[in-house]
Structures are given as structure tokens and as C-alpha cells.
Amino acid sequence: MTDANISDLTVLIVEDEPLIAMSLEDALLDRGVTCLGPAGSVAVALEMIEAGGFDIALLDVNLRGERVDAVADRLAAIGIPFIFTTGHGADGLPDAHRARPVIGKPFRDLDITDALARHRPR
């Protein structure tokens, strides 16, 4: 994949670990991607979803002990694609969204950029 495949994207980052969020943002900004967030809680993520202005989201499955199910449900309801980022594997995904793309933690920058290029909105 090339950087041109994602440089026009705006990505919502839903992640509660500051170092991971900064790493994601740095990797994406280096490739011309606009980043929103990070949203470190379900409540903040839901507020950011309602505000809009993004094309796709990266979702950590667990935000400070709270499952991200409501965030995934809302994104699915409004038709915005999302990719889970998790160290818990498929077993940690919300049941209703087990067919969604997943990037396992720890991940490389290339894993993120390739996944965004593959699952970007058409």
C-alpha cells in the first residue's frame, strides 16, 4: 500500500493509553492523515462521533475497564467503518462486531496504515 491511499483520511482515535495514542497519531500524521482524538473513554468517543468530521475510526476494545461496545454499535449504525486495536484477540471483541477488522497489539505502523488503506470508506 502507498501513503497516497490514506493521506486524505480523517481518523478518529479511540484509545485510553496515552503512549499508544501518541504513537498512532505520530504514525498517521507522518503519512498525511488528519487525526481526531484521542478519545480515552466511551463517553468522549460517543460525543466525538456525534460531532462527526471523520472517515474511519481505530477503536481500542477496553477503555479504562469499560468495553467499547456502545462506540462500535454507534459507528455501525451510522455507517462509519472502524478497526479494532486490541491485545485481547478476537475473544475480546463485542459479539455483534466479531467480523470487523482487528489489529493485534503490539502493532507496527505499517499494520495500521495497511489496515486503514484496506478498510477505508469507498
Side-chain angles (χ1 to χ4, degrees):
M1 299 287 166
T2 65
D3 292 346
N5 289 336
I6 64 169
S7 64
D8 61 334
L9 289 177
T10 300
V11 177
L12 172 62
I13 298 172
V14 180
E15 172 62 61
D16 64 334
E17 293 292 333
L19 292 177
I20 295 173
M22 286 188 301
S23 176
L24 280 169
E25 189 173 26
D26 287 346
L28 295 176
L29 290 173
D30 285 348
R31 287 158 181 86
V33 174
T34 301
C35 298
L36 297 182
S41 70
V42 169
V44 170
L46 290 172
E47 288 174 11
M48 293 183 84
I49 290 168
E50 294 315 310
F54 60 96
D55 305 300
I56 189 168
L58 295 170
L59 304 183
D60 185 7
V61 173
N62 186 314
L63 301 173
R64 296 188 180 101
E66 189 176 11
R67 290 184 51 87
V68 76
D69 300 39
V71 176
D73 291 345
R74 184 65 188 135
L75 289 168
I78 61 175
I80 294 180
F82 56 93
I83 301 166
F84 289 111
T85 60
T86 181
H88 299 287
D91 291 340
L93 299 180
D95 289 337
H97 302 286
R98 290 197 182 242
R100 299 283 179 170
V102 179
I103 300 168
K105 290 179 181 176
F107 46 76
R108 300 170 301 154
D109 293 351
L110 184 61
D111 299 329
I112 297 296
T113 57
D114 280 354
L116 288 171
R118 278 193 314 275
H119 301 289
R120 64 176 290 136
R122 302 286 174 224

